[in-house]
Structure formats: C-alpha cells, structure tokens
Amino acid sequence: MTEVPGGVAIVGAYEHPTRYAPDKSEWQINAESAKGALEDAGLTPAHVDAFFTSSTASEGGYLGGCAAVMAADYLGIKPNFIDETDVGGASFGYYVNRAVLAIQSGMAKCALITYGANTRSRNIKVGTIGYNQLSVQEVLPTPDSFEQIYGTTVVSFMGMVAQRYMHDYGLTSEQLASVAVTMREHAALNPQALYRDPLTVDDVLNSPVIASPLHRNDCCVISDGGAALVIVHPDLIPETKKKPVRILGFGESYMGHGGGLTDWAAESREMVKRACDQAYRMSGLTPQDVDTAMIYDAFTLNVPIDLEGAGFCGIGEGGAFVADGNLRLDGGSLPTNPDGGGLSSNHPGRRGIFLFVEAVRQLREEATGRQVPGARTALCTATGAAFLARRGSAAHLLGV
C-alpha cells in the first residue's frame, strides 16, 4: 500500500492574469508567476530548496532544454533538487508528485513549480505543428520516426481517437459540444478568461472542422500565460499566510504501443484509470467523495474519457454524463473546470499547472463568482504527450 503523503500541502498558488502579453518574455512571465505564488504563501525565495519547471519547447519555448537550471539561475535560487520531466501538459502533475517525494525523503522542505509562455503573442499554433516540419538533422531514429513522415499532429491524433470512441460507444458531436458550452458558461464568470461570450451547441457544430470529427470549438484556446505553486513540508505551514491545501493522494501512468497495435481510445481511458486508482488508494477516497474536478480539456474529448477513467460514470457513458449537465456549476453533480478550462479560459501550451491553481482557489473558497459551494475535495487529472500515442497521465486528490 502506498503511504499517504504526510501533511505535504500546497500553500501558494498564482495564475498570471495575462492572456496576451507581447511585451513580456517567457522568462518574465515565469518570474512574475513565481513571485506571485511565494507572496501568496508568505514565503521568500530563500525558502525554496526544490524547483520544477517546463518550457513549451516543442513549440519554440525560450527556456528550451535545461529549463530548470536556466530558470533557477534567472530566479536567483539555489535548490537542492530540480526536475524538468517532460510529459507535455501533464508535466506539472508529475512535478507535484516529485515535490512530495523530495519533501518526504528529506531532500527539501519547500518546492516551487513554475510555468510561463507567450505562445499567443508569438503566433504559435499549438497542437497543429506537423512533426515532419522538423529539419532532417533534428529527426532522430526514435519510435515516432515512422509517424513523423506522415505529418501527424496532436489535433489529428485526437481526431482519430474521437472517431474510435464514437464508433465503439456511440459518443456524438453534440455531446462533445456540450462540454465546450459548459466551459464557456463557467468562463463567463471568470474575468480573466480569454473568451467569455455565450456559446451554443450549434455554434460549436457550425465552427470549422479541424480534424474530423473535432471542430474548432472542440479545441482549446491558444493564449499567453503562466502560473506557479509552492508546496511545503508540514513544518513550514505555520509560517504561511493562507489555508493549506493538502495533497491527499496522487498517481501517474503511461501509455504507448507496447510492442504492438493499440486501441488508443480505450488505452487513453485506462491510462487515466490507472493514475486515478493510485490516487484513490493513497487517499482512501472514492469518486463519491469528490466535490469538484479539474480536467485538462485540451479537447472536449478529454473530458468524457477522463470522467470514465476516474470512475464518475461507466465505460461509454461519458458522453451522456457531460450532456446531462453534470459538469455545470449551476446544479451539476460534479462541477468541472469552474474557471472555464483550456477550452475558454487559457491554454499557453501546457495547462496542467492551472488545474492546481483553480483547485486551490476552490478549496480555499477564493473563487469569487464561480465558487463551488462547500468544496472540500478536488480531483485533478491531466494527460500530456511525449509524442501522440506515447502519453502520460497524472491524477491528484486535494483537500482541506
């Protein structure tokens, strides 16, 4: 049995307010986010002895390789423990896990996790970059070489997964569209959200098809942005300013071809399930104990798949679950992404860190205008890609 993380807590959380910042570099957004999270925690850079960060390097991020070393130097900190594990947008969930392990091991007492990107202002088309656009020198003989030559993109991969889910389980475009509509309803309550205008199912279905069956409004927005978290050993909690949010359980999992052909749709769900099952076992909680969920909605499809994997509905029932209004702040059984998510609020390229920021706001009762009443527990799930079918998921249960 995995040991429950003993009192390790998130004590600082900050989301950079920008959605378009052509006057700011990725470094500056990263630093301003770090400053905001440390101030939120009531701690200083001198407290930080573990550091984690990630750059949107595949889309030309300035930090690029050695991001943790470069950013630590830029921030003027000297951590004992650093990491920049790259699992795409799920990287930040993995950092939370490693921060807990570093603290439990005695290597650190205060971990800082940061992210910053100016993807929108640099006009980077996240998710639509063809991997065959890399130069010949950059294309190494790796497992994805047999896919790169066909120009596969993230969105085309997700379109294929959606087609399979529709074939196997009867998922419909209308059900997926309802996810985008709900996220836009929530974004209307968030003054920082990129898009806040009303959206209907017809609006989604009438928007251009990007990768059949996914329409433009089934895909996340592209924004600038940044965020940071501060995670500490319980010994430091008396020095902090606000209600600590405990990390009750966590898990992570991986999917790939496994040496043969894979049902990407089913394996995506099962990967999420493996990560969530670890988190449930560690925390002693069940899906029925969760008050609100933060799901990485790079595409509308991610939401029903993750809900099935997390045990909120049966296999093949995710479409009906989202279409029946269960995600809505207004009367839903599982209010999801109250900030508007990646579909309407922000998505600078890697959104996993923003799930934690919103979860902390909800559990501290700081989400003015979009507060989930009585929220005591939150589930965060994020899936990111190393390359399309080689993907990883992270799951977390947080509570107060």
Side-chain angles (χ1 to χ4, degrees), residues 309-332:
F312 293 107
C313 55
I315 295 174
E317 297 176 358
F321 187 90
V322 299
D324 287 346
N326 287 294
L327 311 187
R328 300 182 69 233
L329 270 168
D330 183 13

Side-chain angles (χ1 to χ4, degrees), residues 146-331:
F146 297 99
E147 297 165 24
Q148 286 178 345
I149 59 175
Y150 297 106
T152 311
T153 64
V154 173
V155 66
S156 65
F157 171 81
M158 292 303 296
M160 289 187 285
V161 174
Q163 292 278 15
R164 181 62 183 261
Y165 231 76
M166 288 180 169
H167 176 271
D168 288 347
Y169 304 112
L171 180 71
T172 68
S173 291
E174 288 77 10
Q175 291 171 335
L176 291 180
S178 74
V179 176
V181 171
T182 299
M183 296 306 102
R184 186 62 62 87
E185 286 180 5
H186 295 173
L189 305 174
N190 178 5
Q192 293 181 351
L194 182 62
Y195 294 131
R196 305 178 65 210
D197 294 337
L199 188 70
T200 68
V201 168
D202 284 342
D203 290 335
V204 178
L205 299 181
N206 290 330
S207 65
V209 173
I210 303 300
S212 180
L214 299 177
H215 296 77
R216 182 181 61 201
N217 287 335
D218 285 303
C219 306
C220 64
V221 303
I222 297 176
S223 71
D224 295 343
L229 301 171
V230 179
I231 300 174
V232 301
H233 187 282
D235 288 353
L236 277 183
I237 290 176
E239 298 184 37
T240 62
K241 295 195 307 186
K242 295 183 178 179
K243 181 190 295 184
V245 173
R246 308 283 181 174
I247 301 169
L248 304 177
F250 61 83
E252 59 187 64
S253 186
Y254 154 83
M255 66 171 273
H257 291 298
L261 297 176
T262 299
D263 180 343
W264 292 338
E267 177 58 10
S268 295
R269 179 190 65 242
E270 293 305 305
M271 174 181 61
V272 174
K273 182 180 187 302
R274 291 192 295 270
C276 288
D277 284 350
Q278 292 172 31
Y280 288 135
R281 285 195 300 270
M282 190 181 296
S283 65
L285 300 178
T286 70
Q288 290 68 43
D289 297 312
V290 176
D291 297 317
T292 182
M294 312 301 153
I295 294 177
Y296 193 150
D297 55 338
F299 303 93
T300 52
L301 177 67
N302 293 114
V303 178
I305 286 180
D306 280 24
L307 290 168
E308 292 176 16
F312 293 107
C313 55
I315 295 174
E317 297 176 358
F321 187 90
V322 299
D324 287 346
N326 287 294
L327 311 187
R328 300 182 69 233
L329 270 168
D330 183 13

Side-chain angles (χ1 to χ4, degrees), residues 97-109:
N97 298 355
R98 281 141 186 75
V100 172
L101 296 173
I103 291 169
Q104 287 183 318
S105 74
M107 291 190 68
K109 281 201 169 183

Side-chain angles (χ1 to χ4, degrees), residues 322-399:
V322 299
D324 287 346
N326 287 294
L327 311 187
R328 300 182 69 233
L329 270 168
D330 183 13
S333 64
L334 184 70
T336 298
N337 297 350
D339 63 337
L343 289 167
S344 285
S345 180
N346 70 332
H347 194 298
R350 298 187 168 189
R351 194 172 191 275
I353 195 168
F354 300 101
L355 309 181
F356 293 95
V357 175
E358 181 64 14
V360 168
R361 287 173 172 166
Q362 290 292 333
L363 297 177
R364 285 178 175 174
E365 299 181 289
E366 295 177 343
T368 304
R370 60 180 191 275
Q371 181 64 51
V372 176
R376 303 281 296 174
T377 58
L379 173 72
C380 301
T381 67
T383 293
F387 181 84
L388 305 182
R390 292 90 180 173
R391 311 169 75 203
S393 279
H396 296 80
L397 284 158
L398 310 178

